[in-house]
């Protein structure tokens, strides 16, 4: 406890209260700063996830899904279980993690194996063999046709239908007996949260 004295040696109670109040205010101020820094750091992590680097596996217009084989270091084609026509989007994966399949929405046919900086607009969550999977949906920064799309729910209904059809029959089903249940589309903000959490988990596992 802080005390101050006047010239006659008497305790100055008013001064004492003032000093204590000052200490309490500083304590609150410091904790407020830490709280703000925590929120800022969290928002910064999510904002940083707005753009990711993706590698193209299957260019727009293909009828066969191509997947990168990490062991053989080459692309292998996978026949769809059911005909799905020409692919209405480029298909790829996140650079550094071939397990995260990504729909790359663009009016342009992207070259297989090229890397593109893409903006996350959402994802599709589905269940397969009692496990939850996320199909990332993004658009290359070089494509301006989707600049007005802020989240996946703003995409045309036909595009959303095709993405669901791709998950069911395009590449995820390795056998006809595999059961897939689609949970639904997830907004861009929610997608950034689980994606940043995924990267954090991957860093801890290294």
């Amino acid at each position: 406890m802080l005390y101050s004295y006047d010239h006659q040696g008497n305790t100055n109670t008013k001064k004492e209260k003032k000093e204590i109040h000052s200490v309490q205010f500083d304590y609150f101020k410091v904790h407020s700063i830490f709280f703000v820094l925590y929120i800022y750091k969290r928002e910064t992590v999510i904002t940083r996830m707005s753009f990711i680097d993706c590698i193209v596996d299957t260019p727009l217009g293909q009828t066969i899904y191509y997947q990168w084989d990490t062991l053989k270091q080459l692309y292998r084609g996978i026949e769809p279980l059911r005909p799905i026509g020409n692919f209405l989007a480029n298909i790829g994966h996140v650079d550094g993690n071939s397990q995260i399949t990504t729909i790359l929405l663009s009016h342009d046919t992207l070259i297989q194996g090229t890397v593109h900086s893409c903006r996350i607009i959402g994802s599709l969550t589905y269940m397969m063999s009692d496990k939850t999977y996320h199909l990332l949906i993004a658009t290359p920064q070089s494509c301006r046709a989707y600049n007005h799309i802020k989240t996946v729910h703003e995409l045309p209904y036909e595009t959303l239908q095709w993405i669901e059809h791709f998950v069911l029959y395009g590449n995820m089903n390795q056998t006809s007996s595999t059961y897939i249940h689609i949970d639904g589309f997830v907004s861009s903000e929610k997608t950034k949260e689980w994606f940043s959490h995924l990267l954090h988990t991957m860093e801890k596992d290294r």
Side-chain angles (χ1 to χ4, degrees), residues 27 56 83 146 160 186:
Y27 177 83
V56 179
Y146 289 90
L160 298 179
V186 182

Side-chain angles (χ1 to χ4, degrees), residues 39-197:
I39 296 297
Y40 173 77
K41 183 178 181 181
R42 180 176 180 275
E43 291 298 325
T44 301
V45 171
I46 295 175
T47 302
R48 195 183 305 135
M49 292 300 102
S50 296
F51 296 95
I52 54 173
D53 290 334
C54 296
I55 300 177
V56 179
D57 298 324
T58 307
L60 173 72
Q62 294 290 321
T63 57
I64 297 177
Y65 175 70
Y66 290 92
Q67 198 170 42
W68 179 251
D69 192 321
T70 54
L71 295 178
K72 297 182 179 180
Q73 292 293 297
L74 51 79
Y75 283 102
R76 61 187 181 93
I78 302 175
E79 287 281 354
L81 287 180
R82 295 185 186 178
I84 60 176
N86 294 337
F87 279 39
L88 300 183
N90 301 275
I91 314 296
H93 65 271
V94 174
D95 188 11
N97 193 324
S98 59
Q99 302 300 316
I100 306 179
T101 305
T102 308
I103 298 286
L104 303 177
L105 296 174
S106 172
H107 288 178
D108 302 321
T109 300
L110 305 178
I111 300 175
Q112 187 179 63
T114 56
V115 182
H116 297 264
S117 177
C118 302
R119 177 172 58 88
I120 297 175
I121 61 175
S123 59
L124 177 66
T125 304
Y126 60 95
M127 295 283 295
M128 182 172 66
S129 302
D130 296 327
K131 292 184 179 179
T132 301
Y133 293 87
H134 301 277
L135 176 68
L136 207 59
I137 303 173
T139 178
Q141 285 187 276
S142 58
C143 178
R144 298 181 179 181
Y146 289 90
N147 282 351
H148 64 287
I149 301 294
K150 304 303 179 184
T151 185
V152 66
H153 299 100
E154 298 176 1
L155 291 172
Y157 178 71
E158 294 76 14
T159 303
L160 298 179
Q161 272 193 321
W162 183 86
I163 294 174
E164 289 184 354
H165 195 68
F166 167 73
V167 170
L168 292 173
Y169 309 113
N171 75 309
M172 305 301 175
N173 265 337
Q174 298 301 324
T175 64
S176 57
S177 60
T178 305
Y179 175 75
I180 293 180
H181 172 74
I182 293 180
D183 290 333
F185 289 94
V186 182
S187 67
S188 57
E189 291 304 316
K190 291 293 183 182
T191 300
K192 293 170 193 174
E193 288 184 10
W194 74 252
F195 189 65
S196 60
H197 175 72

Side-chain angles (χ1 to χ4, degrees), residues 13-26:
T13 55
K14 292 183 179 180
K15 181 67 174 179
E16 176 187 348
K17 291 180 181 179
K18 183 178 180 181
E19 292 292 341
I20 293 175
H21 175 74
S22 177
V23 172
Q24 291 174 342
F25 174 77
D26 289 341

